Amino acid sequence: MTESSTPLSGVDLARVALHNAREAAKQQGASPRRRRTATRTTRRTGSREPVSFGEAIQQLIADRAWTAPVAAGGLLDRWSHIADDLAGRVTAVKYDENTATLTLQPDSSAAATAVRHRQHALLDRIAEETGGRETVRRLEILGPGRRKAA
């Protein structure tokens, strides 16, 4: 394997350790263990099974050991997917990674009320889509027609 200028961590470090252990076993004359074949039919849960978008994103974040700001990078772009029933009436305006606050702009008083009532459910949905509760801890809901300076 080639050495990189940055130190390895997380999944990459585990891969290097596994590779080194396999090489050491080969040098000692050990042969790879054979896997037993299943005698019954089971549903495969491998990488070829379909998964939801949120699960795929969470797996990618976990595999790469990304932090919350990186995971939230496309939060504003994915707003219509996260809150599909509110997407036409509520716009995600700004994300502040320092305070983990997502600013929302409803187009009417009714939409603002709907967001306020569903605030906890929206935070749960955002956590599901971004891979954790640390990405967005607070929603700032602006009044209809008001724009907050970016």
Side-chain angles (χ1 to χ4, degrees), residues 12-97:
D12 294 326
L13 189 59
R15 285 187 186 123
V16 169
L18 178 61
H19 175 74
N20 291 340
R22 285 181 177 162
E23 290 299 318
K26 282 182 188 177
Q27 289 176 357
Q28 293 176 1
S31 62
R33 293 173 43 192
R34 289 193 173 179
R35 294 181 182 170
R36 293 181 12 192
T37 58
T39 56
R40 62 178 187 213
T41 305
T42 59
R43 181 173 179 219
R44 297 179 62 175
T45 59
S47 63
R48 295 191 306 184
E49 290 294 321
V51 295
S52 72
F53 181 74
E55 290 174 19
I57 293 296
Q58 285 179 353
Q59 186 63 41
L60 181 65
I61 291 167
D63 287 347
R64 305 283 189 242
W66 286 341
T67 59
V70 175
L75 184 63
L76 298 178
D77 295 331
R78 293 192 325 240
W79 174 249
S80 62
H81 174 72
I82 293 170
D84 54 353
D85 58 328
L86 294 173
R89 302 178 309 156
V90 179
T91 306
V93 178
K94 177 182 156 193
Y95 173 69
D96 183 2
E97 62 188 56

